[in-house]
Amino acid sequence: MSFIKEVRTLVSENIRDYGMYIALAVIILTFTVMTNGLFISSRNISNLLDSAGYIAVLAVGMTLVIVIRHIDLSVGYAAGFLGAVAAILLTQAGVSMFITIPIILVLGVATGLLNGVLVAKIGIPSFVATLAGMLIFRGALLQVTEKTGTIIIRDDMFNAIGNGYIPSLMEVNGLHLLSLLVGMVGIIFYIYSEMNTRKNKMKYNFEVVSTGIFILKLVFVSAIIAYVTWILAGYNGFSWTVIVMLAVVLLYHFLTTKTVLGRHIYAVGSNPEAAHLSGINVKKITYIVFGSMGMLAALSGILFTARLQSATTTAGTLFELDAIAAAYVGGVSSAGGVGKVTGAIIGAIVMASLTNGMNLLGVGISYQYMIRGGVLAGAVIFDVMTRGRK
Amino acid sequence: MSFIKEVRTLVSENIRDYGMYIALAVIILTFTVMTNGLFISSRNISNLLDSAGYIAVLAVGMTLVIVIRHIDLSVGYAAGFLGAVAAILLTQAGVSMFITIPIILVLGVATGLLNGVLVAKIGIPSFVATLAGMLIFRGALLQVTEKTGTIIIRDDMFNAIGNGYIPSLMEVNGLHLLSLLVGMVGIIFYIYSEMNTRKNKMKYNFEVVSTGIFILKLVFVSAIIAYVTWILAGYNGFSWTVIVMLAVVLLYHFLTTKTVLGRHIYAVGSNPEAAHLSGINVKKITYIVFGSMGMLAALSGILFTARLQSATTTAGTLFELDAIAAAYVGGVSSAGGVGKVTGAIIGAIVMASLTNGMNLLGVGISYQYMIRGGVLAGAVIFDVMTRGRK
Amino acid sequence: MSQYILEMNSISKEFVGVKALSNVNFQVEKGEIHCLIGENGAGKSTLMKVLSGVYPFGTYEGDIVYEGNVQQFGKISDSVKAGIAIIYQELALFPDLSVYENIFTGNEMKRGGVIDWNETILQAKKLLQKVKLDVNPETLVKDLGVGKRQLIEIAKALSKDVKLLILDEPTAALNEDDSENLLKLLKELKTQGITCIMISHKLKEVISIADKATVLRDGQTICTLDATKKEVTESIIIKNMVGREIEDIYPKRPKREKGERILELHDWTAYDPAIGRNVVKNVNLHVNKGEIVGISGLMGSGRTELALSIFGNAKGYKLQGDLMLNGNLTNLKHPNEAIKAGIAYVTEDRKGDGLFLLQDIKSNISAANLQGISSKGIINDNEEIIIADKYKKSLYIKASSIEQEVGKLSGGNQQKVSLGKWLFVGPKLLILDEPTRGIDVGAKFEIYTVMNELIEAGMSIIMISSELGEVLGMSDRIYVMAQNELKGELTIEDASQETIMELATQ
Amino acid sequence: ACSQTTGGGSGSVDVGIVLPTKDEPRWVQDEQRFKEALADSDYTTEILFSQGSSAKEKENVETLLNKGIKVLIICPHDGDAAAAAVEAAKKDGVTVISYDRLITNTDAVDYYVTFDSVAVGAAQGQYLVDNVSGSDVPLYLYAGAASDNNAFLFFEGAWNVLQPKIADGTFKVANSSEAEALKDKAMLSRDEMSKILGQVTTNWDPNEAINKAQTHLTAVGADLKGDVAVLAPNDGTARSIADVFASDGDVSSYIVTGQDAEKASIQYVIDGKQSMTVFKDVRTLVTDAMGMAVSILDGDTPETTGSYNNGSVDVNAKQTDVIVVNQENVQKELIDSGYYEASEFEGL
Ligand SMILES: Nc1ncnc2c1ncn2[C@@H]1O[C@H](COP(=O)(O)OP(=O)(O)OP(=O)(O)O)[C@@H](O)[C@H]1O
Ligand SMILES: Nc1ncnc2c1ncn2[C@@H]1O[C@H](COP(=O)(O)OP(=O)(O)OP(=O)(O)O)[C@@H](O)[C@H]1O
Ligand SMILES: [Mg+2]
Ligand SMILES: [Mg+2]
């Protein structure tokens, strides 16, 4: 009785945070029913996550940019351009991928910092500064691919980032062992860290949820991880793209929730004046956020290039709008200071699920655009409504 | 002596306002020299202005949207979609162009108002609301052109809006008489209105510039009008596109500088709180500005469709970014409250001149993108610097 | 017919959690100048906003009877049409527009929607002459100082066909001459039959100009004083305004030995490039360990700027003069350097630049000293909770939990969160800017108690305050500022309302 | 920066060339070949790109007209929408050569040199028909952008050949319910085609092609795998689709078409990852187009081999046959003919 009441309070208090998970669940359920379960098949889920990867990574960076009340329109072509540079390094210059990737990431940071300087130091509105950047990167992409057209990459290791899966080690009943292990480690890590947090809280004599609820939560989340792992293990196991995506989310989740830097970012977004008077270097934070965006654009470019096993002349077209849409669906607010990186990933997966599900159903392309527009508007309307602001 | 001093003071006081005109003059001069005068030939100038038309019209509306601190990303595909609807009405439904055009303009206002409601009433950030609109219009455009693909328009009168010229009446030394007359009327109107303003000011005992300066200004501006007229009259005379563009600028210039509505728009942009406290209905102004943007998007769609004599499936792609770039080059500020419609037109002409001049010079497309990006960034940096803000 | 142009009967107005007005009655006679006085947060501005339709009919209780009719203003333009013009405390001007446009925005000189600019400029000039402001009407408002902006607001009000003019602290930012001009202007308007309600904290002004004065306290009408009955005097006003014995509000603390000097300013001048003039001029002051130094003065006298210039030059002024911390010449270039040097600054505008309103109490408290709860850049959430809980208890913050959003707290509790944030930095010198503005009596008392505890613990405090009672009740020493300069220093023994006001209005 | 002009930035130009976009490698090839063909010509030319915009295309034509061209060689982005541009040229007395893609519904086109887009599609379809055996072979259809008229032309050509074989049960359409529903219809209306394209469009985007291919392979049962045939519209999407099909364990073999003979795809053909590509020997087309231009400039009448009706007039045309390149003839057609260098590929 009091248990049910506790659940109810918890849910009603956090409805807004869960809104997007619920939306995702609804979308998954709808498509699963409409496709007779095909949507939720191992293979489809695996493909879906892979196809969301390069946008999800951008959406994480974009969320932070929007949190500090800016926007970055240049990331699409920046990703395309940096991907092409990676391809050139790998093929024409014959640089190893272990050197290429760091170089590209550093280049990404540099381009991001340039945006940061234009915005924070010179004071150009980020919209225009990055619009100019978008044109420049587009020209640069055409420039570097002009001689060769599409650049094919034959480095299997590099291509695996976008197409490959972690080794299987051994198959157990058609399930990939290493992936199962990864999932298990994830669950153990999750349970351990939750228990640890709880133990610590109790040590401090803080209020914690009742044991029943706690176990319920552990079981629920573990079951989801286990289910996703099981699904993925049933196809080819975890893809490298999913691993990269998970790594980025975990890293950025940690950065934004546990570190001083993360707090400073949200403080700047929430109230730049107050942040300044609290001794936070607002310009520095702006540089860091744009720099991180640049790095993630580079990573997105790498993922995309590897996925196509080649650098194309139009790589990156409109990625920025997809990333922005994902970030907004994920609950970021342009009023600043609100938005989670986990939301960005969910937003990217929601948008990818829509595309994927509609493709499975054979929905015509014109309706696909309209439905995606509608979902984007709907998500933000829901967000604004539940936030209870005008 | 005091005359020269007066000129000098006037120039130094208004450097920011003239910056964009100077930039345009520099661009024109550079290209003229580099192309051995080809750039400034009658025909090229006529083509250049025609090619700027459909963006210039959007830029005017976008300037006002940015003035009230919003943005509209949906206008590109809205223009494309409405142009396609116009084509369908003209061809498949056989509606006369004199009925079609008003219908399309009204539809444009309706779509704009929808954006306005989402932004002002529901409170969605304009960036997302119109991003969703962009997706929806893109789908709608594909939808309506699905059956036919590109829709060819055979209505010569309609096509003349984008390709035709005002009748010549008679050629005088190879110059088109009616166009010369239009130019002359323009000059007379200009001189009359300036004299009138001056007379009025003197009647009110206001300070006016000295007679010398006044005459200098009259002569200078008249000469420019005369020169442009002469140039255009030497080819085919004024095109309908130029006439439409002039009409839009004159109308919006009048609206923004002379009417209550115009001042209220700037007041809302400058300080929405204060506007509210001054009894201005901020929501209503937002609706009006978005509604006008929608109408201009429709007009842009009409111009574009008439120019191509057909509605294509990709019409409108990226118009919004061109319009935004033109508005910013034209000196609008996203901090709100600052920006002139004349600036927007000049911005659109600057961007069109760049493309045209670089085409004449045979500059490669990749460099063209980069140079346009650079000019956009440069224009805004100049603006920010001269405004002396951080 | 009644002689009242305005009667406000039993007006009540509630904000979420705050009862700003309860059963206020307020009558104004035709053609008089009626002053509305009371402490910060007494509800003066709110009452006027109810009158002008900012808070439209239906959002308040009670009746507004204006010119004999019950009025139900649904929006601001309704009250304007009725001839009521109001000049708000936070100026409502358009910085990017010219003076003449500002004057006539919302009330354009027009013919069929088209503006007659010549007529506009002409009228603007006349109005500017009327308010004795000598500026070119084509100047942009952002290029003008606050004083001139105030006069433009008045010109704007006069541009309407005004019968009842309301001014909310119009002279707060004006210097002596400008204030006097303004008061003369009001008297002139009175002769033209314009009724005037003026809110002011400057008692001298009130005494010199008011025909009547109504005192508000804690959202209630206390009394209406009549000048013809010689009731409008300083002592009567203060008695009614404060309404309680000072000993009750200001907790005593034991006298302490004078400690060493921890802060000294010599010929300290700050030039603000954004507005193009000195905002602090030639200030010499010092603060000893373990004392509360009060800085008093009228609004706009430059006290906030002085604090900001000390606090790591937060607004980027051009500084001259020396700042010594513990006897060492120091140069602080950013608030974080000031924080490291042991200075903390609690801003006067807690919502605008003090707090992160969308974040919870604990993140706000830890915001300025995350280092204190983290190792190697990683935050220890549990420590944060401990700290936040500690300040919640020691500062008597009333909230359901430390996870409550700060934006949803009442003003007093917000102020305590703001204070907690800075106490957690562990400063040696705490600058409090208007620490009790808009805070109820109980909360005030709690804040004063905390201040005393801090002094006991060896901290020093600079308290900037416009409330004389607070300055007198809490300070060990008092500096008085006016027109961006220090006009004098008073020991607590020499200080009285009169001596302070004398210096402040110099 | 004036890399595309052989006549100097400002001097007058004799032949203007407008190509659709630099974003697709195909047109970069054309640019390259034009430059080579012009190296020893007396006439000056200039090449401009329209970047997928009919409006920019029109601006380009106007610019070239300003520069006094006498012959315009134009490959329209959109054959219908280009009418306005060439009509302007016609008014100036410029001879218009429609290059590769026909400009439709206008009388302002003088000549047409072409590989014939419909024929390209037909060659793709024919290759599939020739290389399958048995019946009920799963057929995966893909197409270009639903917003691109050329995508419809390619698809139309392929459908003309494939449809009878679908109807008679040789093929079974695996990934489009709309195509399945229309399988007995030989001539599709634009509307019907767009229903199919809406489902199988790649938007000319290799990434979209991957998404679609993966989805389709997920959606079908094992009965629609095994030995399959894939109609891929061009090389960029063909490679992506081939990669996806190659990675599916249930697909024992696949035949996939292509178009444009991009270097990257030639490598795929050599490696056996892509079955064929339709090689359009751009050199022939360029030579034909330039030959026509030169004879016009010289005052002669160019040779033509037939005519195409563009909906308004019959346009004299010279058609160049497309060459189907697969693993067997790749050496002969592309390397021996000197189109590409052998050193550009591995494993020949
Ligand atoms: N918009 C609002 N939301 C919530 N509370 C408000 C709001 N506006 C005012 N208050 C509260 O109402 C009370 C009265 O405020 P008001 O501004 O009327 O005071 P005042 O007498 O004008 O003070 P001051 O002298 O500082 O201007 C204060 O407690 C204030 O915090
Ligand atoms: N934005 C501005 N533009 C022009 N002058 C300004 C501006 N802000 C403040 N000032 C001027 O700076 C001086 C100091 O103002 P400030 O409000 O800091 O004083 P204060 O003593 O802290 O008053 P308060 O009681 O409001 O805290 C005043 O003379 C004011 O007119
Ligand atoms: Mg007030
Ligand atoms: Mg202050």
Side-chain angles (χ1 to χ4, degrees), chain C residues 354-415:
Chain C
L355 293 168
F356 306 102
L357 295 175
L358 292 176
Q359 298 189 0
D360 59 17
I361 294 177
K362 71 177 157 55
S363 327
N364 269 280
I365 287 184
S366 63
N369 186 21
L370 288 170
Q371 291 75 17
I373 50 161
S374 59
S375 71
K376 300 199 185 77
I378 296 165
I379 294 168
N380 182 337
D381 295 337
N382 293 322
E383 280 303 324
E384 185 176 29
I385 294 171
I386 297 273
I387 296 294
D389 258 333
K390 183 180 127 195
Y391 286 107
K392 180 169 181 277
K393 287 205 190 78
S394 66
L395 296 173
Y396 318 101
I397 297 173
K398 287 183 207 79
S400 57
S401 88
I402 51 169
E403 257 134 45
Q404 198 169 337
E405 214 176 281
V406 163
K408 299 202 171 122
L409 296 178
S410 70
N413 285 304
Q414 285 182 351
Q415 184 66 5

Side-chain angles (χ1 to χ4, degrees), chain D residues 6 14-15 36-45 290 294 297:
Chain D
T6 46
D14 301 310
V15 182
E36 286 166 16
L38 296 168
D40 42 35
S41 152
D42 294 335
Y43 294 107
T44 51
T45 66
M290 285 311 295
V294 169
L297 289 168

Side-chain angles (χ1 to χ4, degrees), chain C residues 15 18 20 39-46 55 89 169 201 438:
Chain C
F15 295 110
V18 188
E39 287 179 304
N40 291 118
K44 308 178 293 288
S45 298
T46 306
Y55 302 134
Q89 193 168 1
E169 302 191 25
H201 287 289

Side-chain angles (χ1 to χ4, degrees), chain A residues 38 41 43-44 47 51 54 138 142 146 150 152 154 304 307-309 313-314 356 359-360 362-365, chain D residues 22-23 25 28 146 198-199 206-207 210-212 214-215 217-219 225 239 243 248 264 267-268 271 346:
Chain A
L38 200 58
S41 68
R43 170 172 194 152
N44 195 52
N47 290 340
S51 74
Y54 62 94
R138 181 172 191 185
L142 274 181
E146 190 160 44
T150 301
I152 292 269
R154 305 175 142 278
F304 187 74
R307 180 170 161 81
L308 295 187
Q309 307 180 11
T313 47
T314 50
N356 177 290
N359 276 343
L360 276 182
V363 175
I365 188 75
Chain D
K22 209 159 186 173
D23 288 343
V28 184
Q199 289 186 321
N207 182 51
I210 292 184
N211 288 346
K212 282 262 157 64
Q214 285 182 337
T215 314
L217 284 181
T218 306
K225 293 189 181 173
R239 292 193 302 273
D243 289 341
D248 189 299
Q267 187 65 55
Y268 263 54
D271 297 345
E346 295 167 30

Side-chain angles (χ1 to χ4, degrees), chain C residues 5-23:
Chain C
I5 184 169
L6 173 74
E7 288 173 87
M8 298 181 80
N9 300 325
S10 318
I11 304 286
S12 294
K13 166 84 192 164
E14 198 163 348
F15 295 110
V16 197
V18 188
K19 184 116 188 162
L21 299 173
S22 60
N23 277 315

